[in-house]
Each structure stands twice: as structure tokens, then as C-alpha cells.
């Protein structure tokens, strides 16, 4: 976590939060652009670390890609002001604005920077990039989107996020492609209703936070670390529960928001989309289970120099969060009914 005794980090962290608020509460496109720029300039100092070259490289890559998206966004809104005095839908303008916002959030077909940048980050920064940094672009996208273009993007997100995660060994890259896949679900929820998007986003953020907290505590970044280190059985069980929940398996909490999105899609006669969503969920479940399979089934002899030291408080917290993930489905159905 960010150290409270480090004022610059905390200062940039609060600016990161407030810049998103500026962007989503602005009543003009310029105000939205300014909010996005402040957000970019406050996140870079949080990523960069002079002692770690990977962090510095990630911050530079992030700056370049976000700058391109910002320039594209600014150019489009200026062109819109010059060419069209009245606020009418124009195909080219809407696709340009949508594309720059999709690039901001790391969506397909502009997703190539996203896994590479997450690969050079700490788990906390990865969590912020996968959750908080998506809020402003997604809300701006809901103001002005081209329906057919976004439908194609959603399908691409679902398919690429599921298939690209199959051949990864880095946990951060697997989480990045999982985030791209879930982004397809979130954009679909956003097209149905903003409340549904907030509902899905809250559940997704909760599940991602548990896994990032777990991997950060264990100091794990690659799949082979999961079975080389003999972990506590409860930690292995927590990992399995939360991965299955993130994949959307029925008894777990993560199934609930996906179930509601599928219900709305069926009500709107999007049967082909529903089939793609459910099929790709099976593929994501496969590579989630593959992560836990290695740590659960391979029994390595315990070696003293590889002994894991987990604080008891952290373990209790993990057990509590996993219990919520396991039994939350029961409570959530009461609210839905």
C-alpha cells in the first residue's frame, strides 16, 4: 500500500481520485478532457520508481499511449465545434470520440499497451489501472456512443480477452486479459443502463481487489511460483474460490452480475451475443482453474528457505473476503428478488 508517511505519493493519489470526479461531473467536453489529463499526470508519479526500471518503463509507455488518446480526443472535440454548431450525431465524430476513450481504458482494438504496462507494475498500481482508471472513460463513453461500433468492440473484447489469456504464464498478464474480457461485459452493461454498469463494476472491483491483495501479500507474479512455494491450504482455497467467482461460476458472488447482464441481453433479443459471452466465459474459467490447479494438486516437499511468511491479520482478512465471495450469492439473490 501507499505509505502514509510519503506525502507526494498520497498527494498524487488524492488528485487521481478528484480528477476522475472532475471528468465525470463536467458539463463540457473540454472539462472532460482536462479531467482526463490531470488523471494521467497524477497516475504517472504513482507508477514510476527510480529504483525499478520496469516501473519507469511502464510509466513512459503509459504516458505515450494516453497522450495519443488525449490528442485524438481533443482534436475530435475541436473539429466537432468547428464543423458542427448543433449537437447532431455524426458517424465519423462519434467513432473518433469512442476510439479515443476505448484507447484510454485499454479496450480492443487498442488494447496492446495494456498487458505490457501491467507487466511492469506493482499489484496495487495494477489494481488501480484495472478498476479506477476505467471509470472516467466509461462514463464519458456512455454520453455519446455509436451503437453498432460499440457492439463490435464488445464482441472483440470478449473474444480477445478470453483467447489471449490462454498462453500466458505471468499472473499480471492473465489478470490484464481477464480485465479486457470483463470490460466487454461492463460496456454491455453500460449500454443497457448506467446503474447496471455501476453494479457490475462494484462486484468486479471487489473480486479483483481480493486477488491483487492476495498476490501482493504472497509476492507472486508468475504461475510457477504458485506450486514451487508450498502455501497454506486456506490460501490455496481462497485463491480457488475467488478465481471461480471472477470467472462467473454459479454458486459464487461473481455469477450474480453476469447473470443479470445475460438476462437483459436475452430480453433485448441479443441471442448471438449471449452465446458468445457464455462460451468465452468457459475459456476464461479454464485459465483461472489452470492457475489454482498447479498449486492445489502438485505436492512439493517443504523447503525451509522457501517457507512462506504470511501475517495472521492478512490471512484472517483473506478468509473473511473469500467467505463473502462464497456466500454473497445467497444474500444478493434476496435483494434481487
Amino acid at each position: 500500500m501507499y505509505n502514509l508517511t510519503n506525502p507526494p505519493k498520497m498527494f498524487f493519489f488524492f488528485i487521481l481520485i478528484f480528477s476522475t470526479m472532475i471528468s465525470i461531473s463536467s458539463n463540457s467536453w473540454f472539462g472532460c478532457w482536462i479531467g482526463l489529463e490531470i488523471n494521467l499526470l497524477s497516475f504517472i508519479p504513482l507508477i514510476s520508481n527510480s529504483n525499478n526500471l520496469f516501473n519507469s518503463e511502464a510509466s513512459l509507455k503509459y504516458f505515450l499511449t494516453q497522450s495519443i488518446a488525449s490528442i485524438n480526443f481533443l482534436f475530435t472535440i475541436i473539429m466537432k465545434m468547428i464543423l458542427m454548431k448543433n449537437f447532431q450525431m455524426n458517424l465519423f465524430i462519434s467513432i473518433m470520440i469512442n476510439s479515443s476513450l476505448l484507447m484510454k481504458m485499454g479496450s480492443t482494438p487498442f488494447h496492446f499497451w495494456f498487458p505490457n504496462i501491467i507487466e511492469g507494475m506493482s499489484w496495487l498500481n495494477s489494481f488501480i489501472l484495472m478498476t479506477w482508471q476505467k471509470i472516467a472513460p466509461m462514463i464519458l463513453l456512455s454520453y455519446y456512443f455509436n451503437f453498432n461500433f460499440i457492439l463490435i468492440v464488445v464482441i472483440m473484447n470478449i473474444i480477445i480477452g478470453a483467447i489471449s489469456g490462454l498462453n500466458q504464464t505471468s499472473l499480471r498478464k492473465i489478470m490484464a486479459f481477464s480485465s479486457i474480457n470483463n470490460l466487454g461485459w461492463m460496456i454491455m452493461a453500460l449500454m443497457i443502463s448506467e446503474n447496471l454498469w455501476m453494479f457490475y463494476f462494484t462486484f468486479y472491483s471487489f473480486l479483483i481487489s481480493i486477488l491483487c491483495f492476495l498476490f501482493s501479500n504472497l509476492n507472486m507474479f508468475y504461475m510457477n511460483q504458485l506450486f514451487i512455494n508450498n502455501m497454506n491450504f486456506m490460501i490455496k482455497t481462497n485463491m480457488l474460490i475467488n478465481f471461480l467467482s471472477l470467472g462467473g461460476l454459479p454458486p459464487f458472488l461473481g455469477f450474480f452480475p453476469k447473470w443479470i447482464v445475460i438476462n437483459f441481453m436475452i430480453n433485448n433479443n441479443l441471442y448471438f451475443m449471449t452465446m458468445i459471452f457464455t462460451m468465452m466465459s468457459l475459456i476464461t474459467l479454464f485459465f483461472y482453474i489452470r492457475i489454482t490447479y498447479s498449486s492445489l494438486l502438485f505436492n512439493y516437499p517443504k523447503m525451509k528457505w522457501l517457507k512462506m511468511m504470511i501475517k495472521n491479520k492478512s490471512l484472517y482478512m483473506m478468509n473473511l473476503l473469500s467467505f463473502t465471495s462464497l456466500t454473497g450469492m445467497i444474500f444478493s439473490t434476496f435483494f434481487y428478488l
Side-chain angles (χ1 to χ4, degrees), residues 271-283:
Y271 301 116
F272 179 67
M273 292 278 287
T274 309
M275 187 191 77
I276 292 173
F277 274 53
T278 47
M279 292 297 287
M280 293 302 131
S281 285
L282 293 174
I283 296 175

Side-chain angles (χ1 to χ4, degrees), residues 29-276:
W29 284 109
F30 270 115
C32 297
W33 175 76
I34 288 164
L36 290 171
E37 284 300 296
I38 297 168
N39 183 270
L40 162 65
L41 294 173
S42 60
F43 191 48
I44 287 167
L46 295 179
I47 312 170
S48 60
N49 181 1
S50 55
N51 299 324
N52 191 329
L53 285 175
F54 290 109
N55 290 6
S56 303
E57 184 190 354
S59 62
L60 184 60
K61 284 179 182 174
Y62 184 76
F63 174 72
L64 290 172
T65 50
Q66 296 294 309
S67 298
I68 293 164
S70 295
I71 290 164
N72 191 11
F73 185 63
L74 184 62
F75 170 73
T76 311
I77 57 178
I78 290 171
M79 194 164 66
K80 184 166 185 58
M81 288 171 70
I82 294 168
L83 296 179
M84 289 174 289
K85 300 298 178 189
N86 57 336
F87 200 77
Q88 60 183 12
M89 276 295 282
N90 179 283
L91 183 66
F92 176 71
I93 296 288
S94 63
I95 288 177
M96 285 282 282
I97 287 177
N98 289 356
S99 298
S100 53
L101 291 171
L102 290 168
M103 191 173 181
K104 278 268 180 197
M105 69 177 90
S107 169
T108 50
F110 314 103
H111 67 286
F112 299 102
W113 63 271
F114 193 71
N116 290 329
I117 286 173
I118 279 189
E119 185 66 17
M121 286 187 184
S122 67
W123 278 113
L124 179 65
N125 287 330
S126 300
F127 167 69
I128 294 169
L129 186 60
M130 286 189 283
T131 53
W132 187 263
Q133 292 299 88
K134 284 181 167 50
I135 294 173
M138 289 193 84
I139 290 178
L140 296 185
L141 185 70
S142 71
Y143 295 157
Y144 191 61
F145 63 82
N146 185 311
F147 187 80
N148 295 325
F149 175 66
I150 294 296
L151 269 185
I152 295 164
V153 166
V154 165
I155 294 170
M156 286 171 70
N157 267 317
I158 293 292
I159 294 171
I160 290 170
I163 292 171
S164 301
L166 285 172
N167 61 345
Q168 301 299 330
T169 54
S170 165
L171 293 173
R172 281 173 296 190
K173 278 196 175 179
I174 287 169
M175 296 301 281
F177 285 115
S178 161
S179 180
I180 290 168
N181 178 269
N182 276 284
L183 192 60
W185 287 87
M186 280 190 268
I187 295 172
M188 195 70 231
L190 190 69
M191 290 168 76
I192 296 162
S193 148
E194 276 195 23
N195 289 334
L196 181 58
W197 169 77
M198 284 178 69
F199 183 76
Y200 191 101
F201 184 80
T202 307
F203 277 73
Y204 169 71
S205 301
F206 173 70
L207 295 171
I208 283 283
S209 66
I210 298 171
L211 288 165
C212 288
F213 177 68
L214 175 64
F215 290 134
S216 179
N217 262 333
L218 295 171
N219 200 24
M220 287 189 174
F221 299 99
Y222 295 94
M223 274 176 65
N224 59 358
Q225 289 173 280
L226 292 166
F227 59 86
I228 288 172
N229 293 313
N230 248 353
M231 293 180 290
N232 186 321
F233 179 73
M234 278 308 296
I235 296 172
K236 291 181 183 180
T237 313
N238 290 342
M239 200 183 296
L240 179 66
I241 288 169
N242 290 303
F243 268 121
L244 292 178
S245 187
L246 188 62
L249 210 64
F252 302 102
L253 189 63
F255 170 69
F256 186 50
K258 290 191 176 185
W259 175 41
I260 295 172
V261 171
I262 285 172
N263 272 338
F264 276 104
M265 283 165 64
I266 291 169
N267 290 338
N268 290 311
N269 301 321
L270 294 167
Y271 301 116
F272 179 67
M273 292 278 287
T274 309
M275 187 191 77
I276 292 173

Side-chain angles (χ1 to χ4, degrees), residues 223-231 233 236 289-302:
M223 274 176 65
N224 59 358
Q225 289 173 280
L226 292 166
F227 59 86
I228 288 172
N229 293 313
N230 248 353
M231 293 180 290
F233 179 73
K236 291 181 183 180
I289 290 169
R290 192 180 60 179
I291 295 168
T292 50
Y293 170 88
S294 55
S295 62
L296 279 168
L297 296 189
F298 295 149
N299 187 23
Y300 274 68
K302 284 192 177 181

